[in-house]
Amino acid sequence: PMYYNGIYHLFYQYNPKGSVWGNIVWAHSISKDLINWRTLEPALYPSKPFDKFGCWSGSATIVPGKGPVILYTGVVDDKQTQVQCYAVPEDLNDPLLRKWVKPDKFNPILVANKGVNGSAFRDPTTAWWSKDGHWKILVGSRRKRRGIAYLYRSKDFMTWVQAKHPIHSKGETGMWECPDFYPVLVNGNQGLETSEGGNHVKHVFKNSLDMTRFDYYTVGTYFEDKDRYVPDNTSVDGWGGLRYDYGNFYASKSFFDPSKNRRILWGWANESDTKEDDVRKGWAGIQ
């Protein structure tokens, strides 16, 4: 999700050819009030060597001077090798941002380094601007049963370097999908822009645990100078921790709405029906 020039955009994983998983594209719907929605043509679909086998989840960042930039996971082969890619609007003057392009220059922007599991390397977060002069993002991963969020930094949003250490990790939690990382006020209920920092904020770190198919989060402190996140002692990583929702709720994503200074959380209610029932009714899963 993102808000740009007075319009809410929601991009979501969608199969235009059926009601179960497969043939996934980035569908695109827009709204001015979050209630009435208009569906546009898909924003992204497999079309390049770096995403030939899939365009998977990611995030949107509004980059000053550039406009919206989508970061997403591309799958390059049938071994599920995953890389991080970017896309930009074809025409920034189009108020609906109908068409998106994937420039060959710099794509893919991230490939798994040695020691990183390339088949468990996905779902880049919305970027934040750090006072050290870098953009930063997280990418979810795992090493055996340890969940990991790798941190990457860039000065130009195109050339990214992996930090020496993950921002956070935890054993026995499995793959960390769709990580989300954002600031919240210590006192007050206004939402904060993703790059906000300082002593007046805490940070929320959310992961979708592939092993349980639920969304868990912690509240803690982001040590920006060390690029480390430490949960408070009231927050527990993993299965025993806090959940956004205690029903079917997964692969959530938040965004900052500057029109009302609020943070809005989107979640996917994944279906528990059988495949046959999903095919019969013509859909599976809701936002």
Side-chain angles (χ1 to χ4, degrees), residues 44-60:
L44 303 176
Y45 51 88
S47 64
K48 297 277 190 173
F50 48 79
D51 65 14
K52 182 179 178 181
F53 286 79
C55 294
W56 288 3
S57 294
S59 302

Side-chain angles (χ1 to χ4, degrees), residues 4 63-69 89 92 156-158:
Y4 185 69
V63 181
K66 292 185 178 181
V69 179
L92 272 175
D156 61 2
F157 217 86
M158 293 292 113

Side-chain angles (χ1 to χ4, degrees), residues 4 14 22 37 43 77 101 106 116 155 164 184 209 248 278:
Y4 185 69
Y14 177 63
W37 291 86
D77 56 30
V101 295
F106 295 113
V116 175
K155 289 187 175 181
K164 187 175 181 181
V184 291
L209 296 193
N248 270 10
D278 290 339

Side-chain angles (χ1 to χ4, degrees), residues 11-15 21 24-27 55-58 73 287:
F11 305 97
Y12 48 99
Q13 300 271 280
Y14 177 63
N15 179 0
W21 197 90
I24 297 299
V25 303
W26 271 50
C55 294
W56 288 3
S57 294
T73 298
Q287 296 289 335

Side-chain angles (χ1 to χ4, degrees), residues 23 73 214 217 241:
N23 307 300
T73 298
F214 296 120
Y217 73 95

Side-chain angles (χ1 to χ4, degrees), residues 108-139:
I109 59 170
L110 276 180
V111 178
N113 290 342
K114 184 178 181 181
V116 175
N117 184 347
S119 63
F121 179 65
R122 53 187 178 269
D123 309 336
T125 64
T126 297
W128 70 94
W129 179 254
S130 178
K131 62 185 179 185
D132 64 9
H134 291 85
W135 287 101
K136 297 179 181 179
I137 60 170
L138 305 181
V139 178

Side-chain angles (χ1 to χ4, degrees), residues 132-167:
D132 64 9
H134 291 85
W135 287 101
K136 297 179 181 179
I137 60 170
L138 305 181
V139 178
S141 188
R142 67 172 172 83
R143 184 183 297 123
K144 296 184 178 178
R145 290 174 60 91
R146 172 172 288 273
I148 299 173
Y150 290 110
L151 185 142
Y152 295 83
R153 59 173 68 96
S154 173
K155 289 187 175 181
D156 61 2
F157 217 86
M158 293 292 113
T159 303
W160 294 85
V161 177
Q162 182 179 337
K164 187 175 181 181
H165 302 287
I167 193 171

